[in-house]
Amino acid sequence: MRDIKQIVIHCSAGSQRQHAADIVRYHTSPAARGGLGWSAPGYHYIVEADGTVVHTWPEDRPSNGVRGHNATSVNVCYTGGVDLSRPRPYPAVDNRTPAQRAAIRRLLSELHGRYPAARIMGHRDFPGVHKACPCFDAITEYNDLQP
């Protein structure tokens, strides 16, 4: 059993029309085929725009969410997080759908029930991380679920 200290929220930094399978395929496909070549996907769960929660990796195994913290984290991602109507680099935006917001909150509540001492935080809240992910303040938003 892993000692889970963080439940980390991420955004996919892509289209809200992405599907969990596409994200997992990108993470785990060889670089020669356009993927990242990781041995594990970045997230344990991905929440699609319609609120579907897809379990993509076993919680008892580390995923590739936050370098240096994967052994003690469960990683949750939602599709979206950028404004694709603007030119690259796409600006960060909190574009979670109402269905995603509800599904993420339910999932975090369940995860916090399993890991009551774990702190809920965004990817951007880790020292040395210089990105907007998850494009909103996860610590403040989910403060009511914190230990």
Side-chain angles (χ1 to χ4, degrees), residues 2 27 32-33 37 45 59 61 63 75 78 86 91 103 117 119 122 135:
R2 297 190 307 132
H27 287 171
R33 293 204 311 236
Y45 297 91
E59 288 176 30
R61 297 175 62 190
S63 63
N75 293 288
Y78 71 93
R86 307 283 300 274
R119 185 168 181 224
C135 305

Side-chain angles (χ1 to χ4, degrees), residues 45-82:
Y45 297 91
I46 298 174
V47 181
E48 296 176 343
D50 67 357
T52 299
V53 175
V54 182
H55 184 207
T56 58
W57 194 248
E59 288 176 30
D60 65 346
R61 297 175 62 190
S63 63
N64 283 311
V66 182
R67 181 175 287 146
H69 299 276
N70 294 319
T72 59
S73 298
V74 171
N75 293 288
V76 174
C77 177
Y78 71 93
T79 58
V82 294

